Amino acid sequence: MNNIITILPVSSFDTSKTRLSPFLSNDEREKLLKSMLRDIVSNIKNDVFKIIVVSNDESVLKFARDILKIDTLKENEHENNYLNNAIIDAVDYIKKFNEEYDILVLPSDIPLIKKENIKYLADCDEDLVISPSKGGGTNLLCFKHTFEFEPLFGDFSFFKHLNEAEEKNMSINIYDSFYLSIDINTPQDLGEFLLHGKKTETFSYLSSLNISVTSIHGQERLNVERKNE
Amino acid sequence: MNNIITILPVSSFDTSKTRLSPFLSNDEREKLLKSMLRDIVSNIKNDVFKIIVVSNDESVLKFARDILKIDTLKENEHENNYLNNAIIDAVDYIKKFNEEYDILVLPSDIPLIKKENIKYLADCDEDLVISPSKGGGTNLLCFKHTFEFEPLFGDFSFFKHLNEAEEKNMSINIYDSFYLSIDINTPQDLGEFLLHGKKTETFSYLSSLNISVTSIHGQERLNVERKNE
């Protein structure tokens, strides 16, 4: 077993995935998030030392404990930068273990992550391993040999993280993966995921909603719509 | 040197990249395509045995010969399926060399391809190596040990290619790469490329057009617009 501790920050079920509204209802967006969390956890659980869900939402923490059977941490009250501060809370918590761990931060919406990705990370020795998401974001962030890396999730975070690592003279491995870049924020993302995500819980759930995906040649690539039931 | 022959099918300068109209003018779209071809060729030229541009357009062939300094093939007249038939013409042409080659088919709009990608292909021994593009397409197709693989570019070609390979009992390597998935068909794609494509000719050219990219949080990830000059 490697010594990777995975931090999974989750905002709250109520406010999750708002860019998918009105395509999906509140209740559907909550179920989608739960499906994605199930996929991530079942895909990597046996290959990391520990997974910690960090959240301010009691129902998220309860779901993580009771259903996903993983560790949880209640984040502190923060005035802003919830996501980054939640990660900092989790890193502070891990520091107290007084052991050297590799820290892996994953967003809650990349159900295509696979055990092979974890194996790759375990074999890396760079100070930072990072994967881009669409639109300049970061979908995987793994820092080793140090706890002193400040998460800068938000607009164009991929480049901010690279800059920070360079300023700190950290060695960098850009982990180039299409599947890790597929996060789920918009209806287009649902379409992309439905093409590539068969055999996941998230796929089963979305399939139950009668979402159809066809190819178009306009400004978008995919037409993603819900069939009349 | 490996024995990879790269086929680069190019439709014509006049009709290229129509989904970028009216964001870019006809003339700008031609210059964009030329920049992308320059990038692809300069990035991989020294690492493959040969690159062949196949086209029906005399001005494309002349550009490839005189400026890119690579081989060309005039495709036959086809009534439909231009792209796939152009590739078949090129494979037929390569067959006549009476040598065993690996065939690599690349679209003309992936300027982020790198020599490391070619090195990866050269080290593979699967019958088919394939990379997904956004929207279910194929951005890299490499077949080895056989010339009997039918190109099926078009809607959802990634899955059609996988099916064909399975039906033919070919071994398959899905080459998972975010950078190879970045092709340039829409203004959103230009934005994604501008974030990740520094140090390319294509980046220099697009930068001269005063295109700005900002992050948004709506149905799209990026706001891509041209500043008033």
Side-chain angles (χ1 to χ4, degrees):
Chain A
M1 177 60 73
N2 55 59
N3 60 343
I4 296 174
I5 297 189
T6 302
I7 300 172
L8 262 181
V10 181
S11 56
S12 74
F13 287 139
D14 287 347
T15 60
S16 70
K17 299 292 150 201
T18 47
R19 289 158 74 189
L20 282 169
S21 167
F23 192 86
L24 300 183
S25 70
N26 278 16
D27 179 58
E28 288 164 345
R29 286 182 277 126
E30 175 172 334
K31 285 181 178 148
L32 170 64
L33 178 54
K34 284 179 175 169
S35 303
M36 295 192 292
L37 289 170
R38 279 178 205 267
D39 279 323
I40 294 172
V41 169
S42 70
N43 291 351
I44 70 169
K45 190 173 182 176
N46 293 333
D47 299 279
V48 297
F49 176 70
K50 191 189 278 289
I51 303 177
I52 303 173
V53 159
V54 53
S55 181
N56 199 21
D57 180 347
E58 284 297 343
S59 59
V60 167
L61 297 170
K62 184 167 165 37
F63 176 77
R65 266 191 316 266
D66 297 351
I67 308 296
L68 302 177
K69 313 281 187 197
I70 56 175
D71 291 356
T72 58
L73 177 71
K74 174 102 198 257
E75 66 177 274
N76 299 323
E77 295 291 333
H78 301 297
E79 279 194 23
N80 47 34
N81 273 326
Y82 302 100
L83 173 58
N84 290 318
N85 282 322
I87 298 166
I88 291 169
D89 286 348
V91 173
D92 285 344
Y93 174 70
I94 294 166
K95 273 185 196 170
K96 292 184 195 142
F97 299 167
N98 267 324
E99 297 271 351
E100 269 219 8
Y101 292 107
D102 298 341
I103 303 244
L104 170 61
V105 181
L106 296 180
S108 56
D109 60 354
I110 53 165
L112 294 182
I113 191 167
K114 295 192 296 270
K115 61 191 299 176
E116 287 79 3
N117 300 128
I118 302 299
K119 178 162 184 346
Y120 179 90
L121 294 177
D123 291 343
C124 288
D125 195 46
E126 287 86 359
D127 301 322
L128 183 76
V129 187
I130 181 169
S131 292
S133 70
K134 287 171 286 184
T138 304
N139 269 359
L140 177 150
L141 186 68
C142 182
F143 42 101
K144 300 183 170 208
H145 316 302
T146 176
F147 292 127
E148 306 310 318
F149 189 80
E150 187 189 349
L152 298 168
F153 284 89
D155 291 352
F156 301 135
S157 68
F158 180 72
F159 304 98
K160 291 178 186 167
H161 287 135
L162 288 182
N163 280 345
E164 179 184 354
E166 277 164 21
E167 279 170 14
K168 291 181 171 163
N169 287 315
M170 294 166 76
S171 54
I172 300 169
N173 180 337
I174 294 177
Y175 186 11
D176 173 21
S177 167
F178 172 69
Y179 297 112
L180 288 176
S181 80
I182 299 181
D183 48 19
I184 300 184
N185 288 302
T186 69
Q188 282 284 304
D189 295 339
L190 288 178
E192 194 71 55
F193 172 80
L194 284 166
L195 294 180
H196 290 280
K198 298 189 173 56
K199 298 182 193 170
T200 59
E201 289 255 354
T202 306
F203 184 88
S204 303
Y205 176 63
L206 291 172
S207 299
S208 76
L209 301 180
N210 285 313
I211 298 170
S212 78
V213 184
T214 50
S215 189
I216 52 173
H217 297 274
Q219 297 295 307
E220 299 285 5
R221 282 189 175 70
L222 300 173
N223 183 42
V224 184
E225 63 184 354
R226 294 181 70 162
K227 292 177 207 146
N228 291 327
E229 285 165 68
Chain B
M1 175 61 73
N2 56 59
N3 60 344
I4 297 174
I5 298 188
T6 302
I7 300 173
L8 261 181
V10 181
S11 55
S12 73
F13 287 140
D14 287 347
T15 60
S16 69
K17 298 291 148 202
T18 47
R19 290 159 74 190
L20 283 169
S21 169
F23 191 86
L24 300 182
S25 70
N26 279 16
D27 178 59
E28 288 164 345
R29 286 183 278 126
E30 174 172 336
K31 285 182 178 147
L32 169 64
L33 178 53
K34 284 180 174 169
S35 303
M36 294 192 292
L37 289 170
R38 280 177 204 267
D39 280 322
I40 294 171
V41 169
S42 70
N43 291 352
I44 71 169
K45 191 175 183 176
N46 294 333
D47 299 279
V48 297
F49 177 69
K50 193 188 278 287
I51 304 175
I52 303 174
V53 159
V54 52
S55 181
N56 200 21
D57 179 347
E58 284 298 342
S59 59
V60 166
L61 298 169
K62 186 166 163 36
F63 176 77
R65 267 192 313 268
D66 297 352
I67 307 296
L68 302 177
K69 312 282 186 198
I70 56 174
D71 291 355
T72 59
L73 178 70
K74 175 99 196 257
E75 65 176 276
N76 298 325
E77 296 290 333
H78 302 297
E79 279 192 24
N80 47 33
N81 274 328
Y82 301 100
L83 174 58
N84 291 319
N85 281 321
I87 297 166
I88 291 170
D89 287 348
V91 173
D92 286 344
Y93 174 72
I94 294 166
K95 274 184 193 168
K96 291 184 194 144
F97 299 166
N98 267 324
E99 298 271 351
E100 269 217 8
Y101 292 108
D102 298 342
I103 303 243
L104 171 61
V105 181
L106 295 180
S108 54
D109 59 354
I110 52 164
L112 294 183
I113 192 168
K114 295 192 295 268
K115 62 189 301 175
E116 286 79 4
N117 301 128
I118 303 299
K119 180 163 184 343
Y120 180 90
L121 295 176
D123 291 343
C124 288
D125 195 46
E126 288 87 358
D127 301 323
L128 184 76
V129 187
I130 183 170
S131 292
S133 69
K134 287 169 287 185
T138 305
N139 268 0
L140 177 150
L141 187 68
C142 183
F143 41 102
K144 300 183 171 207
H145 317 300
T146 177
F147 292 128
E148 306 311 316
F149 188 80
E150 188 188 351
L152 297 169
F153 284 89
D155 290 352
F156 301 135
S157 67
F158 180 72
F159 305 98
K160 291 178 184 165
H161 287 136
L162 289 181
N163 281 344
E164 179 184 354
E166 277 164 20
E167 278 170 13
K168 290 182 173 164
N169 288 314
M170 294 167 74
S171 54
I172 300 169
N173 179 336
I174 294 177
Y175 186 11
D176 172 22
S177 166
F178 172 71
Y179 296 112
L180 288 175
S181 80
I182 299 181
D183 48 18
I184 300 183
N185 288 303
T186 68
Q188 283 284 304
D189 295 339
L190 288 179
E192 194 72 54
F193 172 80
L194 284 166
L195 294 181
H196 290 280
K198 298 189 173 57
K199 299 183 192 169
T200 60
E201 288 255 354
T202 306
F203 183 88
S204 303
Y205 176 63
L206 290 172
S207 300
S208 75
L209 301 180
N210 285 314
I211 298 170
S212 78
V213 185
T214 50
S215 190
I216 52 175
H217 297 273
Q219 297 295 306
E220 301 283 6
R221 282 189 175 68
L222 300 173
N223 182 43
V224 184
E225 63 184 354
R226 295 182 68 165
K227 293 176 207 146
N228 290 327
E229 284 165 67

